[in-house]
Amino acid sequence: MSIITETAKKRLGSRRRAEKRFKLYSRLAILVAISFLIFFLYDMIRTGYPAFTQAELLVEVSYSEESMEIGQLAVDEEMERLVSRGFLRIIPMRMQADPALLGVTRDEWVLAVAEVDQYLKGKPNRLREDERETVQRLQDEGRVKMAFNTGFFVNGDSKLPEMAGVWAALVGSAYVLLLTLAFSFPVGVLTAVYLEEFAPDNRLTQIVEVNINNLAAIPSILYGLLGLAIFINFFHVPRSSALVGGLTLALMTMPVIIISTRAALRSVPGSIREAAYGIGATPWQVVWHHTLPLALPGVLTGTIIGLARAIGESAPLLIIGMMAYIPDAPHGVTEAATALPAQIYTWSTDSQRAFTERTAAAIVVLLAVLLSMNALAIYMRNKYERKW
Amino acid sequence: MNFSQIAQLLVLGMAPLGAGSYALCRAKARPERFGGAKFHSPSWYYGWYGFLWAFLPPLLLAVASWILRLAGLRPAPDWVLMALAMGLGLAGLVYAHRSVNPELRARNSVEGVIHWTLRMSSVLSILITVGIVSSVLFEALQFFSQVSLWEFLTGTAWSPGTAFLGAAGRETEGVAKPLFGSVPLFAGTFLITAISLLVAVPIGLFAAIFLSEYASLPMRRIFKPALEILAGIPSVVYGFFAAITVSPWVVNTAQALGVRADYTNALSPGLVMGVMIIPFVSSLSDDVLNAVPMSMREGSYALGATTSETIRRVLLPAALPGIVAAVLLAFSRAVGETMIVVMAAGLRPNLTWNPLEGVTTVTVRIVDALVGDQAFDSLETLSAFGLGLVLLVFTLILNVISAYIIRRFRQKYE
């Protein structure tokens, strides 16, 4: 006779089923999160990918006396509505720069207007029926091609979707990144060194520590309010400039750098410090010659991760006015500038449909930048970090 | 002196002067120049001693004049100040060079300066907090001197639209009085936050359980960083996703079910924000689950419990404080999140529990008040700081509580 009774068997069965269910839930949770991530990335790339190619039309351009005055007259009336105004606008300038062009009539590959581009990509557009027929005819004649969209990477912002690019925003982001690094890295590392290696354990040190942890958790938009009230209104740093953006984001990044630097310093074993003290080094020499160099990979990893977060931040930038319309890359840190996330926001609020795919394309660029920064951090951690 | 003048002085004047001083003083600190006497410190310390004497006095002067200028005072024309700064630097150089001799304790002086620099930079982090609190508080007080705190906290109508008339001294022109009742904003914030926590807490908690209890080591190595990616994606990107992909999907689904949904509904930003804060719940929960001692698991297994019973009856109760702290952190993160709601939630203050209607949040209103062309001291702009103050106090309280819980939890098991 078995010692396991019927009821016990039943109970065992239900317990096993409960176990399976629970395991299933936990698997499902991770599956949901990961599949969201995959779908999300797929959706961004799918929406943004078309923006990397752009329609161009082979159009007869006549550089005549009239078109020197009014660029629109250089092309057929029928074509005028299909060709980007951005191209027609520069015809007079081109002719002034090169007088030999006068009287020349030739076929040129010219940027099409965004509506044509959208039509050719099979997206909703506002082309009239006759315009669609013209585009169709041009396509049959082989006068339409989808070219790689170089303009997207070399142009600044524009009201014409086909002319808009991320270059100005990239330059702005680069300025902001460098300034953030310049302000937050030295102060952050010095603070961490002080707290970890020099600070006496007193009330003030405790306040500083609690304070830094709180700073790391303050919503980013409040840093924007700080930037507006203190940097712009009190210190009169120019509004919308990369300088005020860099300062604001530096304050946001500093706690991250402090926390990761402290962790890196803490992981350096005490025996190294003691050996250095043993041969007569001063506290500063111990830090500068031994502890800090050994902790450097961890410090840099934390810094890169903090910077990656800063470069994707946009809420404080909106508050300090870095979402301005910037058609040209800024030439200095006090000029009005925009950053990539702010550019994404500006484009996403534009009512023209053609901006949707550009927004997604800018997102793909931003994600690529962030991914390479994080990959660099992980590579450095794996390559240089030592386990003691 | 203004900022660019200081920068010029720094690069063209003080940096070369300091470098020159370093070279001169270091060159002088050689035993053969003092009859073979042994120096107190290594020679580079004398170099740095010279550098600091040539560099710090002009720097202090420049900073002092800059602060005076911000305070509206200009003690002397800029060129006088610049010349004075360079003169000070030169004097410092000469003094340092003359005082270099074997007895001079250059190392002690240089390291003293370094210590002060370290101390100053750590105090700077307190200054930042003071800056944030005071900038928000000062403007908020101005706001509350014109709008009563009671009306702000209990009013159910938010329509600051006509506030600019008041600023222009035209408030009596028969237009409706601006109203600053923040209840609908907070209701909207909590509605969206609640939706996001409904997504993030179960998924994050189960994901943490999977990672810490069920997953093999290679799986853990793949899935843990993959989850962290979710927290690394910029919120403006999530906002775009919520507005372009999730909102239409929510509207279509609602239509198919026969319910009407606004295009800017509370559900889509809530869902997307929930996904964004999953890693906040999961990685901290994962940490605390791992911190529960192995002996507790083994004790439970020894009594014949299954893995899930061990998790539910032993691990989760033991790790509960840490999990609560994780949820609080995620909560504070969701309350302060801006871009997702700016892009996907509405602008209309709306007191409702229906997640398919558009609501607005505190952060949306802060952005909206500050992005327009309002004058800085208009009531609408100031209202942003009033809202910011509430946001600051709220998130600070949440953070302090969760930090306290985590510390208690660590003490228990370490």
Side-chain angles (χ1 to χ4, degrees):
Chain A
M1 194 185 99
S2 163
I3 53 164
I4 302 171
T5 61
E6 225 21 66
T7 40
K9 243 183 202 166
K10 253 188 197 160
R11 222 175 109 65
L12 204 59
S14 80
R15 282 174 67 196
R16 282 193 179 133
R17 279 195 298 280
E19 167 70 27
K20 269 192 183 145
R21 268 202 310 276
F22 196 79
K23 199 168 173 182
L24 184 72
Y25 293 152
S26 73
R27 286 218 168 127
L28 266 182
I30 205 108
L31 203 68
V32 167
I34 300 298
S35 40
F36 173 87
L37 181 68
I38 292 168
F39 173 70
F40 167 81
L41 292 176
Y42 162 76
D43 188 57
M44 282 303 133
I45 292 171
R46 190 197 58 178
T47 319
Y49 177 71
F52 291 111
T53 59
Q54 179 112 299
E56 288 185 5
L57 304 172
L58 190 60
V59 175
E60 194 182 73
V61 186
S62 57
Y63 293 96
S64 59
E65 297 269 349
E66 299 93 72
S67 54
M68 190 138 177
E69 299 295 319
I70 305 163
Q72 273 83 337
L73 297 175
V75 295
D76 253 20
E77 204 175 320
E78 188 188 31
M79 302 305 285
E80 194 194 309
R81 295 180 53 86
L82 303 180
V83 169
S84 171
R85 269 184 292 146
F87 169 74
L88 298 174
R89 214 161 40 197
I90 60 165
I91 286 179
M93 285 174 242
R94 256 197 195 184
M95 294 178 71
Q96 256 153 27
D98 183 9
L101 274 177
L102 188 65
V104 175
T105 300
R106 62 181 184 202
D107 278 358
E108 269 182 50
W109 282 106
V110 168
L111 203 57
V113 79
E115 298 295 337
V116 172
D117 181 59
Q118 294 293 296
Y119 170 68
L120 288 168
K121 286 172 186 165
K123 299 231 173 108
N125 57 79
R126 282 177 297 191
L127 283 190
R128 292 196 314 251
E129 201 46 50
D130 58 316
E131 286 167 348
R132 284 183 195 188
E133 276 161 21
T134 318
V135 175
Q136 212 63 62
R137 202 190 68 227
L138 287 172
Q139 204 166 19
D140 294 340
E141 290 167 9
R143 297 174 84 91
V144 176
K145 72 169 178 186
M146 300 303 282
F148 180 73
N149 190 356
T150 355
F152 183 70
F153 294 99
V154 301
N155 289 348
D157 197 3
S158 170
K159 297 287 178 212
L160 306 169
E162 69 272 13
M163 298 289 290
V166 291
W167 176 244
L170 278 175
V171 172
S173 271
Y175 275 135
V176 170
L177 183 73
L178 286 178
L179 288 168
T180 305
L181 180 66
F183 294 128
S184 64
F185 183 73
V187 181
V189 170
L190 290 180
T191 304
V193 165
Y194 180 72
L195 290 177
E196 205 55 43
E197 307 282 333
F198 293 95
D201 188 19
N202 59 18
R203 210 41 189 269
L204 185 71
T205 314
Q206 281 169 14
I207 293 176
V208 172
E209 284 190 24
V210 172
N211 193 23
I212 287 166
N213 288 330
N214 277 336
L215 276 182
I218 285 181
S220 60
I221 189 171
L222 291 175
Y223 283 95
L225 291 184
L226 165 92
L228 178 65
I230 300 221
F231 293 137
I232 296 180
N233 285 323
F234 186 70
F235 286 116
H236 300 293
V237 182
R239 194 177 145 88
S240 308
S241 64
L243 184 60
V244 67
L247 282 168
T248 308
L249 293 182
L251 299 187
M252 226 185 76
T253 314
M254 210 150 65
V256 182
I257 294 182
I258 295 175
I259 290 168
S260 60
T261 304
R262 290 189 70 179
L265 288 172
R266 221 174 294 144
S267 73
V268 176
S271 56
I272 287 178
R273 293 184 188 89
E274 281 149 21
Y277 283 127
I279 55 168
T282 61
W284 175 249
Q285 284 173 326
V286 173
V287 168
W288 189 248
H289 294 159
H290 303 283
T291 326
L292 207 51
L294 289 172
L296 202 60
V299 175
L300 292 181
T301 309
T303 307
I304 296 172
I305 288 171
L307 286 178
R309 194 191 288 179
I311 205 78
E313 194 57 68
S314 37
L317 300 187
L318 296 194
I319 305 283
I320 56 177
M322 278 194 76
M323 48 170 273
Y325 171 69
I326 308 291
D328 291 310
H331 296 291
V333 292
T334 52
E335 269 181 46
T338 189
L340 201 47
Q343 184 74 78
I344 289 170
Y345 173 70
T346 327
W347 281 351
S348 76
T349 54
D350 199 292
S351 57
Q352 294 184 70
R353 283 296 296 251
F355 270 116
T356 306
E357 64 176 41
R358 284 188 184 252
T359 314
I363 284 174
V364 172
V365 172
L366 178 64
L367 290 181
V369 171
L370 292 182
L371 200 69
S372 40
M373 285 176 81
N374 281 306
L376 179 68
I378 292 170
Y379 171 78
M380 281 181 44
R381 181 156 57 200
N382 292 343
K383 176 141 189 197
Y384 296 108
E385 198 170 64
R386 289 165 70 175
K387 290 266 178 265
W388 303 92
Chain B
M1 276 181 262
N2 64 27
F3 204 75
S4 69
Q5 280 168 324
I6 291 181
Q8 275 175 20
L9 187 69
L10 211 65
V11 175
L12 299 176
M14 287 151 62
L17 194 69
S21 185
Y22 176 93
L24 285 173
C25 291
R26 186 169 179 180
K28 193 182 169 194
R30 274 183 310 177
E32 48 267 40
R33 290 180 66 165
F34 289 90
K38 195 170 165 355
F39 273 79
H40 170 267
S41 318
S43 66
W44 66 81
Y45 275 105
Y46 293 91
W48 283 112
Y49 180 79
F51 172 83
L52 290 173
W53 266 107
F55 191 80
L56 281 187
L59 185 72
L60 290 178
L61 181 84
V63 171
S65 80
W66 181 57
I67 291 172
L68 282 180
R69 190 190 164 102
L70 283 174
L73 294 169
R74 293 184 72 181
D78 285 334
W79 68 268
V80 174
L81 285 174
M82 281 173 120
L84 199 62
M86 291 312 291
L88 269 180
L90 218 56
L93 189 157
V94 171
Y95 172 78
H97 192 255
R98 291 181 74 172
S99 52
V100 170
N101 70 65
E103 268 81 58
L104 179 73
R105 300 182 171 199
R107 186 171 78 181
N108 302 34
S109 315
V110 171
E111 290 193 351
V113 173
I114 291 173
H115 274 237
W116 271 104
T117 318
L118 290 177
R119 215 164 290 165
M120 285 294 135
S121 59
S122 72
V123 170
L124 194 68
S125 73
I126 296 188
L127 284 185
I128 296 171
T129 313
V130 172
I132 291 186
V133 172
S134 63
S135 65
V136 175
L137 195 67
F138 184 68
E139 311 289 344
L141 284 180
Q142 263 186 295
F143 174 70
F144 288 123
S145 70
Q146 295 176 53
V147 177
S148 81
L149 186 63
W150 182 249
E151 186 196 321
F152 178 76
L153 289 179
T154 58
T156 55
W158 182 274
S159 63
T162 52
F164 67 95
L165 288 177
R170 289 162 52 195
E171 63 270 72
T172 51
E173 287 186 6
V175 242
K177 192 171 158 269
L179 292 170
F180 292 98
S182 62
V183 172
L185 311 189
F186 288 107
T189 305
F190 285 108
L191 178 60
I192 291 180
T193 307
I195 296 169
S196 70
L197 287 180
L198 280 180
V199 174
V201 172
I203 296 183
L205 193 53
F206 272 112
I209 288 171
F210 178 79
L211 285 177
S212 75
E213 304 301 319
Y214 287 114
S216 61
L217 203 63
M219 267 174 134
R220 198 180 147 80
R221 254 193 219 136
I222 297 171
F223 285 129
K224 202 170 154 66
L227 269 186
E228 305 281 330
I229 293 179
L230 286 175
I233 294 173
S235 57
V236 66
V237 178
Y238 278 118
F240 181 71
F241 181 72
I244 294 293
T245 309
V246 182
S247 267
W249 177 78
V250 167
V251 172
N252 290 339
T253 314
Q255 221 161 32
L257 296 173
V259 209
R260 206 192 67 83
D262 288 348
Y263 185 71
T264 53
N265 49 60
L267 192 59
S268 23
L271 289 175
V272 174
M273 202 192 286
V275 173
M276 188 184 82
I277 58 177
I278 286 175
F280 288 82
V281 180
S282 73
S283 60
L284 202 56
S285 303
D286 182 37
D287 287 349
V288 290
L289 282 173
N290 279 328
V292 176
M294 213 53 200
S295 57
M296 291 180 73
R297 286 186 191 83
E298 282 152 4
S300 169
Y301 290 142
L303 292 173
T306 62
T307 316
S308 71
E309 283 162 352
T310 307
I311 295 169
R312 270 180 298 165
R313 308 248 168 95
V314 179
L315 295 185
L316 287 185
L320 192 65
I323 293 169
V324 170
V327 173
L328 286 183
L329 269 189
F331 184 30
S332 101
R333 179 82 195 189
V335 169
E337 173 49 49
T338 308
M339 292 318 291
I340 296 178
V341 282
V342 166
M343 292 165 85
L347 263 177
R348 185 166 61 101
N350 187 2
L351 200 57
T352 177
W353 288 114
N354 181 358
L356 295 177
E357 278 184 39
V359 295
T360 195
T361 71
V362 174
T363 47
V364 170
R365 276 296 163 176
I366 293 178
V367 170
D368 189 53
L370 293 175
V371 165
D373 298 327
Q374 298 268 336
F376 186 71
D377 51 357
S378 84
L379 206 50
E380 183 169 2
T381 312
L382 291 178
S383 75
F385 287 89
L387 292 171
L389 180 66
V390 180
L391 189 63
L392 178 68
V393 170
F394 189 75
T395 49
L396 275 186
I397 291 174
L398 282 181
N399 294 331
V400 169
I401 295 175
S402 72
Y404 174 76
I405 296 176
I406 291 175
R407 201 167 50 235
R408 285 291 297 275
F409 174 78
R410 291 235 169 96
Q411 281 166 358
K412 199 166 146 197
Y413 289 115
E414 264 168 16

